[in-house]
Amino acid sequence: MKPVVVVHGGAWAIPDAMSGASVRGVKAAAWEGFSVLKQGGSCLDAVEQAVRVMEDDPVFDAGHGAVLNADCEVELDAIIMDGETLAAGAVSSIRNISNPVTFARSVMEKTDHVMLTDRGADRFANSLGMPRVSTEALVTEDERRKWEHYQKYEKGVKDLFNSQWAQGHDTVGAVALDCRGNVACATSTGGIRNKMVGRVGDSPIIGSGGYADNFSGAVSCTGHGESIMKVTLARLILFHMEQGKPAKQAAEISLQYMGERVQGGGGCIVVSRNGDWAAEFTTERMAWAAIKDDVMCHGLNPKEVFSEQLTE
């Protein structure tokens, strides 16, 4: 099987000032994930490494670019899923770990559970000796200024999601197909600025923020979390693929349904078990990149696809 990796950096109204950095970031993440696959690595390793690249990039709302909740705190969520076994690991409302996707993989591989949250997740992290970071290390000065700006106007989270001011930019994710024919997904987020303390969106929820099954494919979602959860977007996309629809059509139908049924905007990346892939969104923009057959495709605006041949 020829390996494929697709990544996204969040579906939202990305301002022009951030567009270049967003595209560079997803291209770097896609290259990291594809490098793993090209060396014979697993799809799980590929999606984890791709997401870690974006968690370490402050342009994205995950890890080192996280937004602040109503109490000026960071709360991070992530999921990773193995399409071969349906094993999954997720974490929610964690505060001082810079790579939540790696922590989520530890939940998958070292516990009998799928998700850990809050104090229990913190205790498990301590038992692993997982490195900790301060809130100051995860939050940019720009995010602090924007958080203070929004306190003055008391906007709700849906207003923030639809605002170009929101350097929250939502979520990052990756899907991959490896040379053994296995698929995996990973999704990570800092949520939406000014969210209620304890609010958990779609990202760590199996079937909503992500899903992977070798029988159909892998999906990572991004957008308004409450809307995505209501329609279980990731699983909905794979349902349409199981009915014979190609990845692009399945994604389009599902996003359209979410828009019509619950008035929610968002995006997704998809890879099928046969290597068919898609990157679709209904928001103003979504930074994404994909690599297959040593060709990198990437885009930002609707219907926009650029491609370039990769060199060693």
Side-chain angles (χ1 to χ4, degrees):
M1 190 69 70
K2 292 184 177 180
V4 182
V5 66
V6 192
V7 307
H8 71 77
W12 63 295
I14 301 170
D16 290 341
M18 294 180 64
S19 61
S22 296
V23 171
R24 288 190 296 273
V26 293
K27 289 173 69 176
W31 174 249
E32 184 72 20
F34 189 71
S35 296
V36 171
L37 296 175
K38 199 166 185 180
Q39 294 167 16
S42 73
C43 52
L44 274 171
D45 289 341
V47 296
E48 180 186 0
Q49 291 305 313
V51 168
R52 282 180 64 102
V53 168
M54 292 182 284
E55 288 176 337
D56 290 341
D57 187 339
V59 77
F60 300 114
D61 176 21
H64 284 277
V67 295
L68 293 162
N69 66 15
D71 280 1
C72 200
E73 300 170 335
V74 169
E75 290 182 307
L76 305 172
D77 308 323
I79 191 171
I80 190 167
M81 187 166 184
D82 179 354
E84 182 180 14
T85 64
L86 301 189
V91 292
S92 67
S93 300
I94 60 173
R95 295 179 173 82
N96 55 354
I97 293 171
S98 59
N99 292 116
V101 69
T102 296
F103 189 26
R105 187 168 180 179
S106 295
V107 172
M108 179 179 73
E109 295 179 341
K110 299 178 181 179
T111 79
D112 295 325
H113 307 304
V114 169
M115 180 185 286
L116 292 179
T117 188
D118 199 37
R119 289 182 302 159
D122 193 59
R123 289 178 186 173
F124 181 55
N126 286 338
S127 73
L128 296 175
M130 188 157 285
R132 301 306 185 94
V133 294
S134 64
T135 298
E136 289 70 24
L138 295 175
V139 178
T140 66
E141 284 303 313
D142 189 47
E143 167 58 22
R144 290 189 182 279
R145 286 194 298 270
K146 288 175 179 175
W147 183 85
E148 290 169 0
H149 169 83
Y150 278 114
Q151 304 318 298
K152 299 175 183 178
Y153 295 96
E154 297 182 349
K155 291 191 176 185
V157 293
K158 199 156 189 176
D159 293 325
L160 297 181
F161 172 76
N162 292 320
S163 168
Q164 287 198 31
W165 253 87
Q167 195 216 357
H169 17 251
D170 197 39
T171 302
V172 303
V175 295
L177 169 71
D178 64 28
C179 61
R180 302 170 190 82
N182 296 320
V183 297
C185 72
T187 307
S188 181
T189 188
I192 302 175
R193 180 179 302 118
N194 210 36
K195 63 187 177 182
M196 289 180 64
V197 175
R199 177 262 188 189
V200 178
D202 67 290
S203 295
I205 307 300
I206 190 170
S208 293
Y211 201 82
D213 186 345
N214 277 11
F215 289 178
S216 48
V219 179
S220 173
C221 297
T222 168
H224 184 243
E226 282 69 16
S227 298
I228 291 171
M229 286 189 285
K230 288 174 184 177
V231 302
T232 55
L233 183 60
R235 193 65 192 85
L236 179 62
I237 292 166
L238 291 179
F239 166 79
H240 286 300
M241 291 170 66
E242 290 163 357
Q243 306 308 303
K245 293 181 175 63
K248 179 178 174 62
Q249 186 181 10
E252 290 174 340
I253 290 171
S254 301
L255 288 168
Q256 180 180 356
Y257 173 77
M258 184 172 75
E260 293 172 352
R261 189 70 175 86
V262 295
Q263 294 75 56
C268 61
I269 50 173
V270 188
V271 66
S272 77
R273 63 180 182 175
N274 298 317
D276 176 33
W277 64 270
E280 300 294 326
F281 54 99
T282 55
T283 52
E284 288 186 35
R285 285 174 163 174
M286 182 178 82
W288 63 270
I291 304 178
K292 180 181 180 180
D293 293 328
D294 289 322
V295 175
M296 177 182 285
C297 297
H298 59 89
L300 178 72
N301 297 302
K303 311 301 181 186
E304 176 181 82
V305 180
F306 298 103
S307 61
E308 54 192 77
Q309 186 72 39
L310 297 178
T311 57
E312 292 294 341

